[in-house]
Amino acid sequence: MHIDMPRRKPPGESIIPMINVVFLLLIFFLLTAQISPSTPFPLTPPDSSSDETTHTLDVLYISATGDLAWNEARGEAVWPLIADRQDNAPVQIRADATTPAAMLAAHLKHLRSVTDSGAQLVVNKG
């Protein structure tokens, strides 16, 4: 007389090591990510072949239609805030690639009248 015992399933491979690797990768990417503030409106910066990069917290954004943004200020309200800055660092400008040159020149002229710190135009490296 022979009794058939139910066969045991072989133990499956543990997924815990894979979960550990995924969490380590997640932590790595979170720690190495560069978090930057979002633009106040959609911008497509022009391309550049320069390797030079600039970093600043205060940026003057200029949209394709000429809208201005500086921190929380919008429109013509940006000029008094730029003039009242404490530091003498150049003003960083991020303009849309389709912003007309005449409009950009007018904003640069106005910028020159409210500050003497100069300006840096930020473009994408192409």
Side-chain angles (χ1 to χ4, degrees):
M1 185 156 126
H2 186 279
I3 300 177
D4 282 337
M5 297 290 283
R7 290 187 182 174
R8 287 188 177 185
K9 288 168 92 179
E13 291 187 26
S14 175
I15 64 166
I16 292 176
M18 184 179 68
I19 292 171
N20 289 340
V21 169
V22 169
F23 279 121
L24 286 174
L25 286 172
L26 177 66
I27 290 169
F28 171 77
F29 287 118
L30 287 174
L31 291 177
T32 59
Q34 189 175 29
I35 299 172
S36 61
S38 61
T39 59
F41 33 74
L43 286 179
T44 306
D47 291 330
S48 168
S49 60
S50 171
D51 289 333
E52 185 178 333
T53 59
T54 58
H55 301 285
T56 183
L57 296 177
D58 295 325
V59 178
L60 175 62
Y61 292 95
I62 304 174
S63 74
T65 59
D67 297 328
L68 299 171
W70 174 269
N71 296 333
E72 300 301 318
R74 300 293 182 266
E76 294 299 314
V78 303
W79 301 119
L81 295 176
I82 293 173
D84 291 341
R85 291 181 317 133
Q86 298 299 320
D87 63 353
N88 200 22
V91 175
Q92 191 177 98
I93 300 172
R94 291 183 186 251
D96 193 272
T98 59
T99 303
M103 187 180 302
L104 184 59
H107 288 313
L108 286 172
K109 183 177 179 183
H110 199 160
L111 179 64
R112 194 176 318 126
S113 71
V114 297
T115 184
D116 58 344
S117 62
Q120 294 176 340
L121 183 61
V122 178
V123 294
N124 278 351
K125 184 175 179 190

